[in-house]
Amino acid sequence: MRNYDETFVDTMSAISCTNGVVRMMFVGQDLRKSALLKGDEKVVPEAELVQVLTMPVPGFLYMVNVVKNMMDEPRMAELLAKMEEAGLLGKATPESQVES
């Protein structure tokens, strides 16, 4: 069995495609500043690059299809609705209202 690394990221900050290679930049909050706070000090969290995932376009398109299928599952729609109700996600904008 192969060993693998698992990395937690908060979100993706950028994506690019050059010469048939897709690069996705994943970021997280820089927790070092928060860890050094004293008393009532306030700090604005800053994003830091955590990992860059690189893959060929066919692999990226396959991944997009997998994500689309996952988003079409009823369990995912139920989870997202619960998260919206709890205020953890903003309301989704219907595709017909998105400007192109």
Side-chain angles (χ1 to χ4, degrees), residues 15-35:
I15 188 167
S16 68
C17 182
T18 306
N19 297 326
V21 177
V22 176
R23 287 181 178 79
M24 293 172 279
M25 286 54 128
F26 294 95
V27 297
Q29 289 186 5
D30 184 352
L31 300 177
R32 290 171 287 204
K33 288 184 180 180
S34 299

Side-chain angles (χ1 to χ4, degrees), residues 3-96:
N3 291 331
Y4 66 93
D5 292 330
E6 184 171 328
T7 303
F8 177 83
V9 298
D10 288 304
T11 192
M12 182 186 306
S13 66
I15 188 167
S16 68
C17 182
T18 306
N19 297 326
V21 177
V22 176
R23 287 181 178 79
M24 293 172 279
M25 286 54 128
F26 294 95
V27 297
Q29 289 186 5
D30 184 352
L31 300 177
R32 290 171 287 204
K33 288 184 180 180
S34 299
L36 299 174
L37 291 180
K38 294 183 176 120
D40 291 339
E41 288 182 78
K42 303 278 188 226
V43 67
V44 176
E46 292 181 18
E48 68 176 342
L49 184 64
V50 173
Q51 185 151 9
V52 177
L53 181 63
T54 306
M55 67 177 65
V57 170
F60 173 74
L61 294 174
Y62 179 78
M63 180 197 69
V64 168
N65 190 50
V66 168
V67 170
K68 181 188 176 309
N69 290 337
M70 181 179 154
M71 296 302 291
D72 290 341
E73 289 184 11
R75 290 184 303 160
M76 181 59 75
E78 184 180 313
L79 173 64
L80 295 176
K82 287 179 182 178
M83 292 179 81
E84 283 180 359
E85 287 174 22
L88 299 172
L89 293 177
K91 296 287 183 192
T93 302
E95 289 183 28
S96 61

